[in-house]
């Protein structure tokens, strides 16, 4: 059996428990609408990143009231325009995966965030690189009217789990 034609990163396009998505979801329809004119994967990533960071607010109360077996609901996050880091990273991953961009939901620690944290690692095929992107962190920066940039320094993050 020859597996050469299968890209090892294709697993990061699937719908899984904490990144549950399908073509009928409004969030997925929005991802396709936003990226229909995009020519490159990087353009798609930037468009969806900008959409989430500019339209979604971090829910500081939710983080204090969430139980340990919490699983994000992509549609609920999409509709409510708010969530905690786990919600943001799940929504971002679902939207990107739906437009063919391998995306990991990553959990662990960031150097200047006190709590357990979630963010994304996004694969750009043309450069053969995984980019560290943190939509919830940047949405908070936007709320504080601070500057931020999409690509993060991976050295500022300590990975515990990847999905």
């Amino acid at each position: 059996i020859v597996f050469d034609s299968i890209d090892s990163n294709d697993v990061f396009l699937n719908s899984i428990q904490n990144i549950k998505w399908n073509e009928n979801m409004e969030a997925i329809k929005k991802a396709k609408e936003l990226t229909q004119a995009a020519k490159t994967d990087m353009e798609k990533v930037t468009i969806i990143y900008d959409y989430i960071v500019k339209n979604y607010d971090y829910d500081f109360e939710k983080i204090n009231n969430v139980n340990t077996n919490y699983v994000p609901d992509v549609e609920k996050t999409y509709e409510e325009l708010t969530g905690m880091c786990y919600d943001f990273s799940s929504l971002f991953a679902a939207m990107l995966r739906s437009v063919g961009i391998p995306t990991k939901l990553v959990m662990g620690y960031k150097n200047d965030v006190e709590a357990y944290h979630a963010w994304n690692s996004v694969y750009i095929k043309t450069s053969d690189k995984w980019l560290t992107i943190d939509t919830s962190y940047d949405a908070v920066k936007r709320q504080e009217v601070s500057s931020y940039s999409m690509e993060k320094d991976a050295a500022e993050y300590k990975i515990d789990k990847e999905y």
Side-chain angles (χ1 to χ4, degrees):
I1 301 173
V2 178
F3 291 106
D4 289 345
S5 63
I6 298 172
D7 187 327
S8 63
N9 293 320
D10 284 353
V11 68
F12 299 109
L13 294 171
N14 296 327
S15 174
I16 59 173
Q17 183 183 3
N18 53 0
I19 309 169
K20 198 170 195 73
W21 66 274
N22 66 60
E23 299 293 332
N24 299 319
M25 297 169 78
E26 292 305 314
I28 302 315
K29 291 176 186 173
K30 184 66 171 181
K32 295 203 185 313
E33 173 195 319
L34 289 168
T35 60
Q36 66 187 3
K39 307 245 185 298
T40 67
D41 285 353
M42 195 63 194
E43 277 183 72
K44 291 178 184 178
V45 171
T46 303
I47 290 165
I48 292 174
Y49 164 86
D50 285 340
Y51 173 77
I52 291 175
V53 170
K54 291 176 179 162
N55 292 290
Y56 287 75
D57 291 326
Y58 192 87
D59 185 342
F60 290 96
E61 286 185 31
K62 184 175 189 175
I63 193 75
N64 298 321
N65 299 308
V66 72
N67 60 35
T68 53
N69 59 356
Y70 176 80
V71 177
D73 179 329
V74 168
E75 276 297 82
K76 189 173 180 194
T77 303
Y78 176 76
E79 290 164 10
E80 293 180 353
L81 300 173
T82 186
M84 59 181 185
C85 58
Y86 196 9
D87 299 313
F88 275 74
S89 56
S90 179
L91 175 64
F92 191 51
M95 290 177 84
L96 288 178
R97 286 179 177 200
S98 75
V99 295
I101 300 171
T103 305
K104 297 176 186 176
L105 187 159
V106 188
M107 300 178 91
Y109 301 91
K110 182 173 182 338
N111 64 347
D112 60 349
V113 175
E114 289 180 26
Y116 198 62
H117 190 51
W119 63 94
N120 299 97
S121 188
V122 178
Y123 184 68
I124 305 299
K125 200 173 208 154
T126 52
S127 59
D128 192 30
K129 277 182 154 173
W130 285 93
L131 305 181
T132 300
I133 301 176
D134 193 339
T135 52
S136 64
Y137 187 85
D138 292 343
V140 170
K141 290 291 184 194
R142 176 193 53 81
Q143 285 172 272
E144 295 171 348
V145 196
S146 301
S147 64
Y148 55 89
S149 61
M150 183 174 78
E151 194 174 341
K152 302 293 181 237
D153 180 354
E156 294 180 3
Y157 293 80
K158 183 177 179 283
I159 297 170
D160 181 36
K161 299 175 187 158
E162 292 181 313
Y163 301 97

